[in-house]
């Protein structure tokens, strides 16, 4: 992360924590240079980021002040309170119907699960991919069979080490995207009829996998900032003989919640006592806005029970379908299952991504991507505050590209979705994230696309739809 981004992240934290309050003057450029030992250009760029995110405003001849609009920020959504009973899952038809309605390129993609393809270094990726295809060693087609390219696994292991996780390369299995990794892990540690613990709300592909594999789900209460309730999880494990957990511990989709580091440690210890595997969906962790990438739960695993799953689809190469799992003591079993399902992942793609990681182009790209997403989050929050009627709640995650919005109870998110599609706008309604089709008054919006006039108009139209339904 560049110096001005670190500075902006520090000041953002001070504002969000209330140390710097609305209407309060913040240090001048000269004061900031003196206190932090930075150049005027660095200080100005940091303030430009804060201003773009709606956190500060400049006043002629007076300096910079915390924006009064920040004081008027809406409350965050309430923690979920799902039923403590386990249930079969039946959401696939609903999910497919919603996704099909959102597929049209002319639709404003506020309901999309992906960031804008314009944010990724396609030309650089093409050069690495072309080079790896031209110079492919014929024997690599054999060496890159599961568990995958030795060089790519080594580069991924190095990245784990950067954020405090000691993961040996021989524990990593390369897959065709994170979703394959997650499904392989789920099938490895469960059998049809087992009960697994999931978040509420949960990523809809998690629900579909549970449904397809004939499992039962017990939904765990989840806070929009700090993630799952460990006390409720402990009770669910005892009550339902939970055989595995599937949690997204950092920038959870759809809430944006992240478990604090100590809570991740406690989660791993709780599950280790019962010998329960944790499938950790970690695909958004590289999209953090703070100084450092949050540690995964995998960093605290001492028994090999955490199957951490990652991907380059959200951070570097959407469409390349390259993911992996660091599957702990289950690595060999996952590898065998990979061989019997899809056999192998594209060799040129594995080698091309390994080249980019080796040449350090990945981190430079990530700096730009994170800055763009943080700026777009600020624009999205400002737009929602401007156009939505009173009474809504919205979470403000520290990374990723989703906002979870709780609307007044009388608003039906499925009806909002239907009317939005008629206006060529997609949203993700709350029921698609629930085993019991709950969260009927909630929606997930994607701010991973540049905030254009078209997107601003779409949010204004959503506001009109919600007002009508209210």
């Amino acid at each position: 992360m560049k110096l001005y981004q670190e500075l902006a992240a520090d000041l953002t934290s001070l504002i969000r924590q209330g140390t710097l309050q609305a209407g309060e003057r913040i240090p001048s450029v000269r004061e900031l240079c003196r206190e932090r030992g930075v150049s005027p250009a660095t200080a100005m760029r940091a303030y430009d980021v804060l201003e773009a995110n709606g956190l500060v405003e400049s006043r002629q001849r007076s300096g910079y002040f915390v924006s009064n609009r920040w004081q008027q920020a809406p409350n965050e959504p309430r923690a979920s309170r799902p039923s403590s009973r386990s249930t079969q899952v039946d959401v696939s038809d609903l999910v497919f119907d919603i996704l099909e309605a959102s597929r049209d390129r002319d639709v404003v993609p506020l309901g999309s699960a992906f960031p804008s393809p314009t944010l990724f270094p396609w030309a650089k990726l093409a050069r690495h991919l072309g080079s790896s295809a031209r110079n492919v060693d014929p024997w690599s087609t054999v060496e890159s069979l599961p568990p995958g390219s030795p060089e790519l696994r080594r580069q991924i292991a190095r990245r784990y080490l950067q954020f405090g996780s000691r993961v040996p390369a021989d524990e990593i299995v390369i897959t065709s995207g994170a979703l394959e990794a997650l499904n392989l892990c789920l099938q490895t540690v469960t059998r049809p009829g087992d009960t697994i613990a999931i978040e509420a709300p949960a990523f809809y592909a998690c629900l579909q996998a549970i449904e397809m594999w004939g499992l039962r789900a017990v939904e765990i209460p989840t806070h929009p900032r700090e993630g799952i309730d460990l006390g409720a999880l402990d009770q669910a494990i005892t009550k339902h003989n939970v055989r595995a957990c599937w949690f997204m511990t950092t920038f959870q989709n759809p809430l944006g919640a992240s478990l604090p580091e100590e809570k991740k440690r406690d989660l791993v210890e709780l599950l280790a006592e019962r010998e329960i595997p944790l499938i950790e969906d970690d695909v958004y962790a590289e999209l953090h806005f703070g100084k450092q990438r949050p540690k995964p739960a995998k960093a605290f695993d001492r028994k090999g029970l955490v199957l951490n799953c990652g991907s380059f689809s959200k951070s570097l190469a959407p469409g390349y379908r390259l993911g992996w799992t660091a599957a702990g003591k289950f690595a060999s079993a996952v590898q065998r299952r990979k061989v019997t399902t899809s056999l192998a992942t594209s060799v040129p793609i594995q080698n091309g991504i390994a080249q980019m990681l080796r040449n350090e182009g990945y981190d430079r790209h990530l700096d730009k991507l994170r800055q763009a997403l943080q700026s777009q989050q600020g624009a999205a929050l400002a737009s929602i505050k401007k156009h939505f009627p009173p009474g809504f709640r919205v979470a403000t995650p520290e990374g990723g590209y989703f906002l979870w919005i709780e609307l007044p109870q009388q608003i039906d998110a499925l009806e909002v979705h239907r009317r939005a599609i008629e206006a060529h706008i997609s949203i993700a309604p709350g029921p698609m994230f629930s085993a019991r089709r709950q969260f009927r008054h909630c929606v997930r919006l994607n701010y991973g696309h540049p905030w254009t006039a078209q997107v601003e108009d779409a949010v204004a139209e959503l506001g009109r739809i919600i007002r009508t339904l209210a």
Side-chain angles (χ1 to χ4, degrees):
M1 182 180 291
K2 296 188 182 339
L3 190 55
Y4 79 90
Q5 291 172 316
E6 292 183 9
L7 192 54
D10 285 348
L11 293 168
T12 296
S13 295
L14 291 172
I15 293 170
R16 287 179 171 166
Q17 292 165 5
T19 304
L20 295 173
Q21 297 189 347
E24 197 170 274
R25 184 180 178 278
I26 62 177
S28 67
V29 169
R30 182 179 296 176
E31 291 168 337
L32 202 61
C33 293
R34 186 173 61 249
E35 292 172 4
R36 300 294 187 99
V38 298
S39 69
T42 297
M44 286 299 300
R45 289 196 72 181
Y47 282 165
D48 286 345
V49 171
L50 295 176
E51 196 164 18
N53 291 341
L55 296 175
V56 304
E57 56 191 32
S58 60
R59 299 179 188 173
Q60 194 171 14
R61 297 182 180 176
S62 298
Y64 287 90
F65 293 77
V66 179
S67 173
N68 286 317
R69 288 176 298 171
W70 178 247
Q71 193 175 38
Q72 299 161 6
N75 294 325
E76 68 185 7
R78 301 169 183 86
S80 64
R81 298 190 179 279
S83 168
S84 62
R85 293 175 296 176
S86 67
T87 184
Q88 291 182 319
V89 179
D90 179 18
V91 299
S92 283
D93 288 344
L94 172 65
V95 170
F96 284 131
D97 286 347
I98 291 169
L99 295 180
E100 184 63 33
S102 306
R103 196 180 295 257
D104 191 336
R105 183 180 290 198
D106 294 330
V107 169
V108 179
L110 294 175
S112 168
F114 306 100
S116 169
T118 63
L119 298 176
F120 296 92
W122 295 106
K124 189 173 291 186
L125 283 167
R127 286 196 298 273
H128 287 300
L129 184 60
S131 173
S132 70
R134 287 191 302 272
N135 301 309
V136 65
D137 177 356
W139 278 104
S140 70
T141 59
V142 177
E143 292 172 348
S144 294
L145 290 172
S149 158
E151 176 61 13
L152 178 58
R153 289 186 292 124
R154 189 176 74 85
Q155 292 297 331
I156 292 172
R158 288 183 62 187
R159 290 201 71 80
Y160 274 111
L161 194 59
Q162 285 179 29
F163 47 81
S165 302
R166 293 179 178 271
V167 175
D170 59 9
E171 185 184 322
I172 296 169
V173 180
I174 303 300
T175 60
S176 299
L179 192 54
E180 184 185 43
L182 292 159
N183 275 282
L184 291 174
C185 291
L186 181 67
Q187 293 165 22
T188 297
V189 301
T190 63
R191 295 293 176 266
D194 285 350
T195 297
I196 76 163
I198 62 173
E199 294 133 333
F203 175 39
Y204 57 75
C206 166
L207 298 173
Q208 290 175 300
I210 292 169
E211 180 181 344
M212 180 176 65
W213 193 234
L215 303 169
R216 296 181 66 83
V218 56
E219 297 174 298
I220 306 301
T222 306
H223 189 275
R225 209 171 349 98
E226 297 195 347
I228 55 168
D229 182 329
L230 294 185
L233 174 62
D234 193 11
Q235 293 174 13
I237 289 170
T238 302
K239 181 178 180 181
H240 298 289
N241 189 27
V242 168
R243 303 306 299 269
C245 298
W246 178 332
F247 297 140
M248 194 177 292
T249 60
T250 303
F251 312 136
Q252 191 256 5
N253 177 5
L255 282 178
S258 292
L259 274 69
E261 190 171 299
E262 191 60 36
K263 198 170 179 180
K264 288 177 181 175
R265 188 193 305 272
D266 292 343
L267 169 64
V268 172
E269 290 177 357
L270 169 65
L271 298 181
E273 289 173 4
R274 318 283 184 90
E275 295 288 328
I276 295 173
L278 167 62
I279 301 170
E280 183 180 24
D281 186 346
D282 207 26
V283 297
Y284 299 103
E286 292 279 26
L287 307 181
H288 57 89
F289 300 156
K291 286 183 179 180
Q292 295 181 329
R293 183 198 194 280
K295 283 185 180 180
K298 180 72 176 175
F300 308 106
D301 182 26
R302 300 294 176 265
K303 287 190 166 185
L305 289 168
V306 179
L307 301 89
N308 179 271
C309 298
S311 169
F312 295 107
S313 296
K314 306 297 190 295
S315 60
L316 177 63
Y320 277 41
R321 304 307 307 148
L322 188 66
W324 71 88
T325 177
K329 70 179 186 179
F330 304 99
S332 294
V334 171
Q335 177 182 335
R336 289 194 296 270
R337 193 171 287 274
K338 165 71 175 173
V339 171
T340 60
T341 53
S342 60
L343 183 59
T345 301
S346 165
V347 172
I349 287 178
Q350 290 190 63
N351 292 341
I353 295 293
Q355 277 189 30
M356 187 144 186
L357 296 181
R358 187 170 58 245
N359 295 333
E360 301 182 351
Y362 186 35
D363 284 310
R364 288 193 295 274
H365 156 69
L366 282 176
D367 281 344
K368 295 177 182 177
L369 177 60
R370 291 169 188 146
Q371 183 183 354
L373 292 177
Q374 187 173 23
S375 176
Q376 288 163 200
Q377 185 196 81
L381 288 168
S383 183
I384 291 165
K385 293 170 197 172
K386 178 180 178 182
H387 297 297
F388 277 31
F392 73 90
R393 294 168 175 258
V394 61
T396 307
E398 296 290 334
Y401 50 89
F402 295 123
L403 294 176
W404 179 253
I405 303 172
E406 183 183 309
L407 301 171
Q409 287 282 346
Q410 71 270 27
I411 304 297
D412 183 345
L414 291 173
E415 181 61 17
V416 176
H417 162 73
R418 187 187 68 78
R419 297 191 186 195
I421 286 295
E422 290 177 353
H424 299 287
I425 305 163
S426 75
I427 64 167
M432 70 189 292
F433 301 100
S434 170
R436 301 175 186 274
R437 301 197 183 190
Q438 295 176 314
F439 309 107
R440 203 169 178 91
H441 63 298
C442 297
V443 298
R444 187 202 70 186
L445 297 187
N446 179 329
Y447 59 81
H449 292 252
W451 209 258
T452 62
Q454 182 189 27
V455 177
E456 182 73 17
D457 289 344
V459 174
E461 179 61 26
L462 280 180
R464 284 192 286 271
I465 291 170
I466 293 166
R467 282 192 177 87
T468 301
L469 292 174

